[in-house]
Amino acid sequence: MVETLESLPEYVRPWFIWLSTLTLGQIWKTIYNPPNKINLTIAFLVISLKLPEYLKKFRTWRESKRVVVFDWPLPKEANKDWRGKIIKSPSLFSHNQDESLLPPESGKTGEKREHITCYDPSTGYHLLTIPLLTASEVSDQITKTHIAQKEWAQTTFAQRTSFLRSLKAWVLKDMHGIVRVACRDTGKTEVDAVFGEILTTLSKLDWLITYGEKTISPTARPGNLLLAHKVSKVHYTPLGTVLALVSWNYSFHNLISPILAALFAGNTIVVKCSEQVAWSSLWFIGGIKACLRACGLNDDVVQLVICLPDVAETVTRNKLIKHITFIGSEPVGKKVALAAAEIMVPTCIELGGKDPSVILPGTDLNFFASTWMRGAFQSAGQNCIGTELFMVHRSQYNRFIEIMESRVKTLRPGTDVGSLISHAPIPKLESILTSAEKSGARILVGGKQFNHPDYPEAAYFEPTLIVDVTMDMDIAQEELFAPVMTVVPYDEVDEAVEWLNRSRFGLGGGVYGKDKKECRRVAEKLECGMIAINE
């Protein structure tokens, strides 16, 4: 204590000595004064007036934290040991060649319906043959969702957050089942399903739970001297019933992602899934509806549409739809944009791309090798923003090829790399690769369909490494959506950037190198929607 006092300035010491002699009670009395009738009355009035507000906030907080646990039975087909009927040359219309694939009730009602055959592309097993709804029946679904929207718009953020928490609890509890369903319908590996279906979905759930309410709550805007007597705020109100047309490559994530955003914003949603993943989409939607019911909410707020393109045209032109989200190919994206223009609604359209990775001189190739392997071969290359084009500086070109060739050769179709979604793209893939080879490119690994010894009807394509590609080849200009690593050598960085910026694609890209400043400089020059640096 003496040392402490001596270290203090002279004028502070008396105050410090006085303070050190006080008891806690004396400090309380000195600072706050003992309670008396006046300040007790004031405190009681203040608390009484604020109590309803505090209780309401507490109830809201407690409601938002509520997690409802529910069960959604896993289909038997998701079991790893399940074996189905093998379809010869499987396709969406295999039931037309083999009527035994049709459901037992088909034709008994006297009403002719269109069907689609659902199958596992990694085995050729028959999953289900689904009767399709007519345009008028789909219109009824949209109307049902539209009617439910008025009630849903009145739900609180706490109710919606509770629903998201319950959905997250289901994803965590039944993660393995969700993965198995996704794998069975798309042919991907379990590792790819965990990365692309589960982790991404959980991340979006967490973001909405944490930041969703704050993001769309009313926010003030700065004014000016002329309107100094006014207050300006932006209020976000639900649009109504929205539509999402989603792709097959991530059957769970792509389906649930627009549902999460739409419902949290107070909208209801109609989802048109890809016919390629109708079987899994039915089960996933069933789980979401089960969660809504368990939370005491109306499950009409979500509707799944399974239809062929002719009926889809009527869905995109339905005047009850107030916004359209689309994930898919460019030709279909153009049709969606045209339909949206006719009914005057906004769109969010995500197409594919020929996403490049620019590997700068001096990059640590061994360090990033696994990253590039996953970028090219995750989900058998069927990624909207998966790397399709590897731009490698000539100073490291041979070493890059040496590293990648040995690694690509070890990939095992059916174990390390899943199947394609169907056999349909295989002839075109082989044609593009053959054309590139004739133009001077070299196929070092793969390049053709893989015939699986256990599943001869499966849709596998050999993991492929093609090098010495030039930017004027078709393979450098067309999105392959396949397990193909395409390598292009370059001499000058700015030249490579110029090549890429002339491309008609620009969804995403990557830049790799040791010099962070140079990486950022190149990233800023690339004309892409999103660019990762060393990631």
Side-chain angles (χ1 to χ4, degrees):
M1 174 63 75
V2 175
E3 290 178 359
T4 304
L5 284 173
E6 289 177 352
S7 64
L8 292 172
E10 189 71 31
Y11 63 89
V12 175
R13 290 179 190 176
W15 294 99
F16 185 83
I17 294 170
W18 170 76
L19 185 63
S20 67
T21 60
L22 294 178
T23 64
L24 286 174
Q26 289 172 318
I27 293 173
W28 174 270
K29 184 177 179 180
T30 302
I31 296 174
Y32 293 103
N33 292 324
N36 54 56
K37 289 183 179 180
I38 296 174
N39 57 27
L40 280 175
T41 302
I42 293 170
F44 176 76
L45 289 172
V46 170
I47 292 171
S48 298
L49 290 171
K50 286 287 186 180
L51 188 59
E53 180 186 338
Y54 292 149
L55 286 173
K56 184 180 179 181
K57 285 184 177 180
F58 173 74
R59 284 194 295 267
T60 300
W61 174 82
R62 188 174 60 181
E63 171 69 14
S64 70
K65 297 291 183 182
R66 187 171 73 109
V67 175
V68 180
V69 179
F70 66 97
D71 292 317
W72 183 239
L74 195 67
K76 65 181 185 302
E77 294 85 356
N79 191 306
K80 260 192 170 181
D81 298 325
W82 176 80
R83 297 290 180 269
K85 176 178 179 177
I86 296 175
I87 305 174
K88 295 294 181 181
S89 303
S91 75
L92 291 175
F93 304 103
S94 288
H95 57 274
N96 291 334
Q97 284 75 48
D98 182 357
E99 290 190 357
S100 69
L101 298 175
L102 287 167
E105 69 277 7
S106 177
K108 291 183 179 179
T109 62
E111 182 183 3
K112 183 172 175 58
R113 280 193 179 274
E114 295 285 343
H115 290 74
I116 56 170
T117 301
C118 304
Y119 63 94
D120 177 353
S122 67
T123 61
Y125 292 157
H126 177 236
L127 296 172
L128 184 68
T129 301
I130 301 175
L132 301 176
L133 299 180
T134 64
S136 62
E137 288 170 329
V138 170
S139 180
D140 290 342
Q141 281 185 288
I142 297 173
T143 301
K144 186 185 291 187
T145 314
H146 172 72
I147 292 169
Q149 197 275 328
K150 289 183 180 179
E151 179 190 352
W152 181 259
Q154 300 306 311
T155 56
T156 63
F157 282 128
Q159 287 174 293
R160 298 174 200 170
T161 302
S162 173
F163 163 67
L164 294 185
R165 289 186 187 278
S166 302
L167 208 54
K168 178 184 175 181
W170 172 58
V171 174
L172 289 169
K173 177 171 71 76
D174 291 347
M175 183 187 303
H176 185 68
I178 293 170
V179 164
R180 287 302 314 148
V181 169
C183 291
R184 182 65 78 189
D185 212 12
T186 62
K188 66 180 61 176
T189 65
E190 290 192 8
V191 170
D192 287 340
V194 170
F195 269 94
E197 310 281 10
I198 302 297
L199 296 183
T200 47
T201 298
L202 289 174
S203 180
K204 290 187 177 183
L205 278 164
D206 283 340
W207 192 95
L208 279 171
I209 290 167
T210 306
Y211 304 109
E213 181 178 356
K214 182 180 179 181
T215 302
I216 56 177
S217 293
T219 54
R221 291 292 187 267
N224 53 50
L225 185 60
L226 181 64
L227 299 175
H229 60 298
K230 300 288 186 182
V231 174
S232 178
K233 283 190 174 182
V234 174
H235 289 257
Y236 298 91
T237 58
L239 291 171
T241 298
V242 300
L243 170 66
L245 303 104
V246 295
S247 59
W248 48 260
N249 54 334
Y250 290 99
S251 59
F252 181 60
H253 168 263
N254 287 358
L255 179 89
I256 198 174
S257 183
I259 292 174
L260 301 178
L263 294 185
F264 193 83
N267 301 311
T268 52
I269 183 167
V270 176
V271 182
K272 192 274 177 191
C273 70
S274 167
E275 309 92 276
Q276 298 283 0
V277 289
W279 176 77
S280 58
S281 297
L282 276 170
W283 188 79
F284 295 142
I285 285 287
I288 294 167
K289 282 179 168 284
C291 183
L292 285 163
R293 292 192 297 271
C295 293
L297 301 168
N298 186 355
D299 68 352
D300 283 345
V301 298
V302 176
Q303 295 291 330
L304 177 68
V305 171
I306 302 172
C307 64
L308 296 177
D310 57 333
V311 175
E313 287 275 342
T314 66
V315 179
T316 54
R317 285 175 167 80
N318 191 300
K319 292 184 179 179
L320 295 180
I321 299 298
K322 301 303 178 186
H323 182 278
I324 300 176
T325 296
F326 174 76
I327 306 171
S329 68
E330 184 176 342
V332 181
K334 288 179 179 178
K335 291 181 179 180
V336 170
L338 182 62
E342 286 186 11
I343 60 173
M344 290 294 289
V345 298
T347 62
C348 177
I349 295 179
E350 188 232 292
L351 308 176
K354 193 75 181 177
D355 285 21
S357 282
V358 182
I359 300 166
L360 301 178
T363 300
D364 187 339
L365 302 181
N366 289 310
F367 181 80
F368 289 113
S370 294
T371 301
W372 296 328
M373 288 289 289
R374 177 146 291 279
F377 296 107
Q378 177 171 303
S379 291
Q382 299 168 122
N383 291 298
C384 299
I385 55 169
T387 305
E388 284 217 7
L389 208 59
F390 290 83
M391 312 288 295
V392 186
H393 191 264
R394 286 197 191 275
S395 61
Q396 294 184 293
Y397 186 67
N398 290 333
R399 178 57 182 153
F400 177 89
I401 293 172
E402 182 184 346
I403 293 171
M404 291 303 161
E405 183 176 6
S406 61
R407 296 193 64 158
V408 176
K409 280 180 178 177
T410 64
L411 294 177
R412 298 161 295 173
T415 302
D416 306 311
V417 180
S419 72
L420 299 180
I421 192 65
S422 74
H423 292 83
I426 292 176
K428 185 177 179 181
L429 279 172
E430 291 178 338
S431 174
I432 290 174
L433 285 162
T434 300
S435 174
E437 197 170 28
K438 287 179 179 177
S439 298
R442 292 182 294 142
I443 298 175
L444 301 183
V445 185
K448 60 185 185 298
Q449 180 176 351
F450 175 78
N451 296 311
H452 199 290
D454 298 325
Y455 307 109
E457 301 300 332
Y460 288 98
F461 196 82
E462 292 179 343
T464 300
L465 175 64
I466 181 168
V467 302
D468 296 351
V469 172
T470 57
M471 292 301 292
D472 59 343
M473 295 179 186
D474 288 344
I475 196 170
Q477 301 296 326
E478 288 195 41
E479 182 182 28
L480 299 185
F481 230 55
V484 178
M485 178 177 275
T486 305
V487 188
V488 180
Y490 72 89
D491 295 301
E492 299 292 336
V493 173
D494 290 340
E495 178 188 35
V497 170
E498 188 180 336
W499 287 347
L500 295 173
N501 287 345
R502 283 203 298 266
S503 165
R504 44 193 299 279
F505 296 114
L507 185 61
V511 180
Y512 298 85
K514 285 186 176 179
D515 187 334
K516 288 184 179 179
K517 280 188 175 180
E518 177 65 1
C519 285
R520 184 170 290 277
R521 184 188 75 83
V522 174
E524 288 174 352
K525 281 195 166 189
L526 281 173
E527 296 171 3
C528 292
M530 45 191 160
I531 301 173
I533 295 178
N534 288 339
E535 197 35 281

